[in-house]
Amino acid sequence: MSPPPMPVDTSLLPALRADLLAKPRQLFIGGEFVSAVSGETFEVTDPATGAVIGHAASADAADIDLAVKAASRCFESGKWSNMAPAQRARIMLRLADLIEANASRIALTETLDNGMPLMMAFFGGGMGAAEALRYFAGWCTKLNGETFTPSNPGEWHAYTVREPVGVVGAIVPWNFPFVMAVAKLGASLAAGCTVVLKPAEQTPLSAVILAELVAEAGFPEGTINICTGFGKTAGAALVAHPLVDKISFTGSTVTGKSIVHACADSLKRVTLELGGKSPVIIFADADLAKAIPGAAMGIFGNAGQVCAAGSRLFVHESVRDEVLEGISNMARGLVVGNGMDPRTQMGPLVSDVQFARVTGYLESALAEGAQVLVGGGKLDVEGGEGGNFLAPTVLTETRAGMKAVEEEIFGPVLCTMTFGDDDLEAVAAAANDTQYGLSSAIWTNNMSNGLKLAKRLKAGMVRINGGMGGPDPAMPLGGFKQSGWGRENGRQGVEAFTEIKSVTINL
């Protein structure tokens, strides 16, 4: 059977490369593209080759101040916050159409910048972002309050209203840069907020395309502002700015904790979607033809650089050998390479820093007694000389207490453990033995056991017989314990950008 036709217009690539190298990407503040006040830029590299592919403006506190003030002026003027909800929805839908029309350029940029396979960048990035934005646009006309009957003496009319929280500082990670940026924008815009977006310094380029499309869609000036730069300068300034009313952050738990400390004095509203060490539990009665590829791609997809990656496998001892053999065979068979190659199924790690981090965890695991069943080393890839390619890796003899089992690796490394019976309490206790609680996966044909275990797992998301696929924008996304605060997506994700006001009238 021949492969499906490539949906991405790769003929755009030469012109895109030339344009990226011709001029640095600028900041987008108050509806205009501007250089950083300092004039500083930074290099952007292709993780598949290590080559410099462009430069981006390096925002600092002065630029963040201009962006936040532009967002604040727009919000206080009511040009966006008081716009008729249906009109806000129309502008958001126009942006979604522009994203879809530019999905090839977005995908090519995302693959150059992040390294992910081109098909993932197209469907999960550009097209996924367009659909997410359409979903959030629908909420513009559906936010509402409630009416109440107070028990006070007399006759009363009492009700609540939801109002936008104000200026939002949105900080997104490098693993799915474009779709995560659009999702944060979508929820905050639907609520009536204005936004300053800070993309990750490793992957700033697709956010600049987003800025171009925002300018074309017709948003009021200052509704959306985009500042590329580093976390320690631009990100810290955004978190600390007194005119920012809410921070929405996706990234590491360590950085999330620092944001909480920085927001303590001002009591800014904070939503955090942080790390995970998600368990995958395969029972003896599971459909292994589905469980094995589900578990494999739950950790090897996007080179394991996924917050909800299924990085801890618990498999019943009666099917252990078959499961590990199946996952190992998939690991050996995965085509690892440059994301621009249509054959590629897994790309590189995003940077040499991330590569060193992941291999450091592997060295630690081996020192503590783990064994490598497959993978474990750097790969030489055709067309990827100088890239950060790591072989998909399966570890055995891992146990609770090991650094590689306790901490988030954020790479294609699977830690495997077994259990001997169907004692749900024991299985849940092992799965819950982590500081995280973001996601989980259960594979079983016994739905009674599956639902009982789902109730016992301390995780914000539980998938039964469904792998570890990407989130649906209608389903709340977030975690228990140190996996974050609050929820993104769904009604809860939009309402997180609102404040509730109670109004009582003595009739």
Side-chain angles (χ1 to χ4, degrees):
M1 179 182 293
S2 60
M6 170 63 73
V8 183
D9 182 1
T10 55
S11 68
L12 300 174
L13 184 58
L16 174 63
R17 286 185 182 274
D19 182 60
L20 289 173
L21 288 170
K23 57 179 185 255
R25 306 297 96 173
Q26 293 182 298
L27 312 177
F28 185 65
I29 298 176
E32 297 182 353
F33 286 94
V34 296
S35 300
V37 171
S38 67
E40 294 292 321
T41 64
F42 61 94
E43 291 183 344
V44 184
T45 59
D46 180 350
T49 64
V52 175
I53 55 175
H55 295 77
S58 185
D60 59 21
D63 305 290
I64 293 297
D65 183 59
L66 292 173
V68 172
K69 286 179 177 175
S72 181
R73 285 194 300 272
C74 181
F75 183 79
E76 295 301 331
S77 72
K79 290 179 180 178
W80 181 255
S81 56
N82 291 337
M83 183 183 290
Q87 178 61 19
R88 288 208 309 270
R90 279 191 286 272
I91 296 175
M92 292 173 66
L93 291 171
R94 192 177 306 144
L95 177 58
D97 290 342
L98 288 169
I99 290 172
E100 184 171 321
N102 286 270
S104 287
R105 183 163 65 109
I106 292 166
L108 291 165
T109 302
E110 203 84 320
T111 295
L112 281 176
D113 207 1
N114 168 276
M116 69 174 65
L118 196 52
M119 294 286 275
M120 180 181 291
F122 181 81
F123 288 109
M127 301 300 285
E131 288 307 306
L133 192 55
R134 291 179 179 121
Y135 170 80
F136 287 115
W139 276 108
C140 292
T141 56
K142 297 170 185 65
L143 292 174
N144 58 271
E146 298 178 285
T147 58
F148 298 87
T149 304
S151 297
N152 297 341
E155 191 171 352
W156 298 81
H157 177 55
Y159 63 94
T160 60
V161 292
R162 286 194 174 271
E163 298 180 351
V165 69
V167 176
V168 173
I171 304 175
V172 296
W174 46 258
N175 57 333
F176 290 99
F178 191 82
V179 69
M180 286 192 174
V182 170
K184 284 195 187 296
L185 289 180
S188 52
L189 293 171
C193 298
T194 57
V195 188
V196 178
L197 171 70
K198 209 293 283 185
E201 55 264 31
Q202 297 90 340
T203 53
L205 299 180
S206 62
V208 182
I209 296 178
L210 177 58
E212 295 171 1
L213 303 181
V214 165
E216 187 176 348
F219 287 87
E221 294 178 357
T223 305
I224 301 170
N225 307 270
I226 300 177
C227 292
T228 55
F230 292 84
K232 292 183 178 179
T233 49
L238 183 58
V239 170
H241 202 289
L243 293 180
V244 172
D245 300 289
K246 178 182 174 70
I247 294 293
S248 178
F249 170 78
T250 299
S252 74
T253 296
V254 171
T255 303
K257 290 178 179 179
S258 70
I259 288 174
V260 170
H261 287 294
C263 293
D265 285 343
S266 63
L267 292 180
K268 282 184 177 67
R269 277 55 179 143
V270 178
T271 297
L272 303 171
E273 199 267 282
L274 306 177
K277 196 71 180 177
S278 301
V280 178
I281 303 159
I282 301 180
F283 286 93
D285 66 351
D287 182 346
L288 299 187
K290 295 179 180 178
I292 288 171
M297 295 316 296
I299 185 61
F300 301 141
N302 203 30
Q305 299 171 131
V306 182
C307 56
S311 53
R312 293 183 300 140
L313 174 66
F314 298 89
V315 57
H316 194 279
E317 61 185 11
S318 66
V319 293
R320 172 190 182 275
D321 292 347
E322 184 178 355
V323 168
L324 294 189
E325 180 183 10
I327 293 175
S328 297
N329 287 339
M330 285 198 67
R332 294 185 189 96
L334 279 179
V335 178
V336 180
N338 192 315
M340 289 296 177
D341 186 333
R343 299 169 299 174
T344 293
Q345 296 170 298
M346 191 182 99
L349 297 177
V350 75
S351 67
D352 53 359
V353 173
Q354 184 65 11
F355 185 88
R357 169 187 166 85
V358 175
T359 53
Y361 276 108
L362 286 175
E363 292 167 2
S364 170
L366 296 181
E368 293 183 276
Q371 300 292 317
V372 175
L373 185 61
V374 64
K378 185 168 185 175
L379 290 177
D380 293 324
V381 171
E382 182 181 352
E385 295 78 8
N388 305 304
F389 295 96
L390 183 71
T393 300
V394 177
L395 299 177
T396 60
E397 307 303 321
T398 53
R399 62 186 183 279
M402 285 184 171
K403 185 177 179 181
V405 176
E406 296 289 324
E407 299 181 17
E408 184 178 41
I409 298 175
F410 223 62
V413 180
L414 180 64
C415 298
T416 64
M417 290 149 278
T418 60
F419 58 95
D421 55 41
D422 292 347
D423 181 347
L424 298 185
E425 300 297 340
V427 173
N432 291 333
D433 187 15
T434 172
Q435 64 181 320
Y436 300 107
L438 184 58
S439 188
S440 57
I442 302 168
W443 292 91
T444 179
N445 279 324
N446 184 329
M447 281 300 102
S448 178
N449 277 348
L451 292 172
K452 287 178 180 177
L453 183 56
K455 184 177 180 180
R456 288 162 172 77
L457 291 178
K458 296 178 180 178
M461 297 175 286
V462 180
R463 296 181 175 93
I464 301 177
N465 297 336
M468 304 292 284
D472 187 294
M475 293 295 291
L477 168 66
F480 291 15
K481 297 186 280 187
Q482 294 192 36
S483 285
W485 282 357
R487 294 294 182 270
E488 297 187 312
N489 293 345
R491 174 189 286 272
Q492 294 87 347
V494 178
E495 290 181 345
F497 291 94
T498 67
E499 295 277 23
I500 297 179
K501 179 181 289 183
S502 295
V503 180
T504 54
I505 307 165
N506 189 338
L507 302 179

